[in-house]
Amino acid sequence: MHPLGIFLVIAGLLLALAVSTGRWLHLRQENAALKAALESRADQVTALSHEMRTPLAVIIGSAGILAESVDGLPPRTQRFATSIVANASRLNTLAETLLTQARLEAGLFTVHRERVEVRTFLRDAIIELRQVIGRDIAIDTPGPPVYVDLDPNLVRQVLDNVVTNASRHDSAQGTLSVSLRMTERHVVISVHDQGDGIDERGRRQMFQKYSTTSNEGTGIGLYVSKKIIELHGGRILVDSLAGAGSSFLVLLPTGGES
């Protein structure tokens, strides 16, 4: 090849390398800026969440004491106190969900696992949720103790979101049911409602961010719940038939491969 041709080839390669390097540096700068923005948003949401927790805890505690004071309070006042507890608890769950979402998107999220006896954990959670949503929840957890490594705070957040979602979509206000079953590799928590069911389009979009079929929902609870369960190596599924209600299945690995 003529020396001039060799020079032009080398010059072209160097130019292509320079352009590629420039694009890479630009993308790196954009990614750094995006990460910084997400971290800033996470810090803001964290601060807001902490600011909300203290007054909400005071409201829930004070209203709870009033609601349990059967003697000396008229029924109407007791109903108001119960309503205050339920709605303040919903706000607390929303604050936690927003905090989790922000930290997930900023890549600042850590799962703190510990050994948990799932049957007792589930029963305790449902007892509290009965008071929060003001509805009967049947629970079926037969069998011996089952121990799983999980983050109890995060899985409790998932239960809050899934049970609240089931209650919200059950217009008949029937009994919600929660059960625990074992497979070879998973514990399966099932939450079933007696509502109208969810159509195919709703099932496809259910776990997408900001997707909701309820006027009361924000569209982030199930999205965050799915991310939490996936971080545990599990899955969250929905099974629904028109007019026959819906079942949400939370699968958590018991150990080994998920």
Side-chain angles (χ1 to χ4, degrees):
M1 180 181 290
H2 192 279
L4 178 59
I6 296 174
F7 172 78
L8 291 175
V9 170
I10 294 174
L13 290 173
L14 290 174
L15 179 61
L17 179 61
V19 171
S20 178
T21 302
R23 288 177 178 172
W24 179 80
L25 290 173
H26 180 66
L27 288 174
R28 185 176 180 182
Q29 292 171 349
E30 285 189 341
N31 287 336
L34 178 59
K35 188 174 187 297
L38 289 173
E39 289 179 354
S40 176
R41 177 176 179 270
D43 289 341
Q44 292 172 358
V45 175
T46 300
L48 178 61
S49 179
H50 286 309
E51 289 294 325
M52 291 177 64
R53 282 173 179 166
T54 300
L56 282 173
V58 173
I59 292 170
I60 293 171
S62 301
I65 293 172
L66 285 175
E68 293 172 0
S69 302
V70 179
D71 298 331
L73 283 179
R76 184 180 182 186
T77 303
Q78 291 180 28
R79 287 196 300 272
F80 284 158
T82 301
S83 178
I84 291 170
V85 171
N87 284 282
S89 297
R90 286 178 57 191
L91 279 176
N92 192 59
T93 299
L94 177 59
E96 292 296 332
T97 301
L98 289 170
L99 174 60
T100 301
Q101 178 198 359
R103 296 186 69 81
L104 276 168
E105 294 178 348
L108 303 173
F109 202 74
T110 304
V111 176
H112 301 284
R113 296 175 186 264
E114 59 184 78
R115 201 70 171 163
V116 174
E117 202 289 287
V118 182
R119 297 191 194 279
T120 301
F121 170 79
L122 184 58
R123 285 194 293 266
D124 291 345
I126 297 307
I127 289 172
E128 292 182 13
L129 279 167
R130 283 172 181 157
Q131 298 178 338
V132 171
I133 67 175
R135 290 183 57 179
D136 187 25
I137 306 174
I139 183 167
D140 183 22
T141 59
V146 178
Y147 291 89
V148 176
D149 291 328
L150 55 82
D151 186 320
N153 293 326
L154 293 180
V155 175
R156 173 56 195 270
Q157 187 175 330
V158 171
L159 289 173
D160 288 352
N161 285 328
V162 172
V163 172
T164 300
N165 182 79
S167 175
R168 189 181 296 137
H169 287 85
D170 187 355
S171 58
Q173 293 290 295
T175 298
L176 301 176
S177 59
V178 177
S179 64
L180 179 68
R181 293 291 183 271
M182 297 290 300
T183 68
E184 184 179 351
R185 293 181 175 178
H186 295 87
V187 294
V188 183
I189 301 171
S190 174
V191 179
H192 180 73
D193 65 62
Q194 300 177 29
D196 297 329
I198 305 165
D199 61 23
E200 183 178 352
R201 180 173 179 269
R203 291 195 298 273
R204 287 199 309 268
Q205 298 180 348
M206 177 160 291
F207 297 105
Q208 296 177 10
K209 185 165 56 173
Y210 305 131
S211 175
T212 180
T213 58
S214 169
N215 293 330
E216 300 177 25
T218 61
I220 61 172
L222 291 180
Y223 164 79
V224 167
S225 296
K226 181 175 182 289
K227 296 294 185 183
I228 289 173
I229 296 303
E230 288 175 347
L231 285 171
H232 281 80
R235 291 180 294 163
I236 180 169
L237 309 170
V238 60
D239 181 25
S240 183
L241 291 173
S246 303
S247 292
F248 286 86
L249 306 175
V250 178
L251 285 70
L252 290 166
T254 55
E257 295 182 4
S258 59

Coordinates of all heavy atoms in Angstrom, one line a residue, residues 20 23 25 54 73 88 92 98 105 108 148 151 176 182 196 212 219 240 242:
S20 N -15.1 7.5 19.5 CA -15.6 6.5 20.4 C -15.3 6.9 21.8 O -16.1 6.8 22.7 CB -15.0 5.2 20.0 OG -15.5 4.2 20.9
R23 N -17.4 9.7 23.0 CA -18.8 9.3 23.3 C -18.8 8.6 24.6 O -19.8 8.7 25.4 CB -19.3 8.4 22.2 CG -19.6 9.1 20.9 CD -20.1 8.1 19.8 NE -20.4 8.8 18.6 CZ -20.7 8.2 17.4 NH1 -20.6 6.9 17.4 NH2 -21.0 8.9 16.3
L25 N -16.8 8.9 27.2 CA -16.7 9.9 28.3 C -17.9 10.6 28.5 O -18.3 10.9 29.6 CB -15.5 10.8 28.0 CG -14.1 10.2 28.0 CD1 -13.1 11.3 27.5 CD2 -13.8 9.8 29.4
T54 N -42.2 10.3 62.8 CA -42.4 10.7 64.2 C -43.9 11.1 64.4 O -44.6 10.6 65.3 CB -41.4 11.7 64.6 OG1 -40.1 11.2 64.5 CG2 -41.7 12.1 66.1
L73 N -66.2 6.1 76.3 CA -66.2 6.7 75.0 C -67.4 6.3 74.2 O -67.7 5.1 74.1 CB -64.9 6.3 74.2 CG -63.6 7.0 74.5 CD1 -62.5 6.5 73.6 CD2 -63.7 8.5 74.4
A88 N -53.7 6.7 59.2 CA -52.3 7.1 59.5 C -51.4 5.9 59.2 O -50.2 6.1 58.7 CB -52.2 7.4 61.0
N92 N -48.2 5.8 56.7 CA -46.9 5.3 57.0 C -46.4 4.3 56.0 O -45.2 4.3 55.7 CB -47.0 4.7 58.4 CG -45.6 4.4 59.0 OD1 -44.8 5.2 59.2 ND2 -45.4 3.1 59.3
L98 N -42.4 4.8 49.2 CA -41.7 5.9 48.5 C -40.2 5.9 48.8 O -39.4 6.0 47.9 CB -42.3 7.2 48.8 CG -43.7 7.5 48.3 CD1 -44.3 8.8 48.9 CD2 -43.6 7.6 46.7
E105 N -34.0 2.9 43.0 CA -33.6 3.5 41.7 C -32.3 4.2 41.8 O -31.6 4.4 40.8 CB -34.7 4.5 41.4 CG -36.1 3.8 41.0 CD -37.2 4.8 40.7 OE1 -37.0 6.0 40.9 OE2 -38.2 4.4 40.2
L108 N -29.0 2.4 46.0 CA -28.5 2.5 47.4 C -29.2 1.5 48.3 O -29.2 1.7 49.5 CB -28.8 3.9 47.9 CG -28.1 5.1 47.1 CD1 -28.6 6.4 47.6 CD2 -26.6 5.0 47.2
V148 N -36.7 -19.1 57.1 CA -36.2 -18.6 55.9 C -35.4 -17.4 56.1 O -35.7 -16.6 57.0 CB -37.4 -18.2 54.9 CG1 -36.9 -17.6 53.6 CG2 -38.3 -19.4 54.6
D151 N -35.4 -10.4 54.8 CA -35.4 -9.1 55.5 C -36.8 -8.9 56.0 O -37.7 -8.6 55.2 CB -35.0 -8.0 54.5 CG -34.9 -6.6 55.2 OD1 -35.7 -6.3 56.1 OD2 -34.0 -5.9 54.8
L176 N -61.0 -11.6 53.0 CA -59.7 -11.9 52.4 C -59.1 -13.1 53.1 O -59.3 -13.4 54.3 CB -58.8 -10.7 52.6 CG -59.2 -9.3 52.1 CD1 -58.2 -8.2 52.4 CD2 -59.4 -9.4 50.6
M182 N -45.8 -24.9 51.3 CA -44.4 -25.2 51.0 C -44.3 -26.0 49.7 O -45.2 -26.8 49.3 CB -43.8 -26.1 52.1 CG -43.8 -25.5 53.4 SD -42.6 -24.1 53.5 CE -41.1 -25.0 53.1
D196 N -63.8 -8.6 41.7 CA -64.3 -8.9 40.3 C -63.2 -9.5 39.4 O -63.5 -9.8 38.3 CB -64.8 -7.6 39.7 CG -66.0 -7.0 40.4 OD1 -66.8 -7.8 41.0 OD2 -66.1 -5.7 40.5
T212 N -52.0 1.6 38.0 CA -53.0 1.3 39.0 C -54.4 1.3 38.3 O -54.7 2.0 37.4 CB -53.0 2.3 40.1 OG1 -54.0 2.0 41.1 CG2 -53.3 3.7 39.6
G219 N -49.9 3.3 42.4 CA -49.2 2.6 41.3 C -47.7 2.3 41.6 O -47.0 1.9 40.7
S240 N -55.8 -14.6 38.3 CA -57.1 -14.0 38.4 C -58.1 -14.4 37.3 O -57.7 -14.7 36.2 CB -57.0 -12.5 38.3 OG -58.2 -11.8 38.5
A242 N -62.2 -13.5 35.8 CA -63.3 -12.5 35.9 C -64.4 -13.1 36.8 O -64.9 -14.2 36.6 CB -63.8 -12.2 34.5

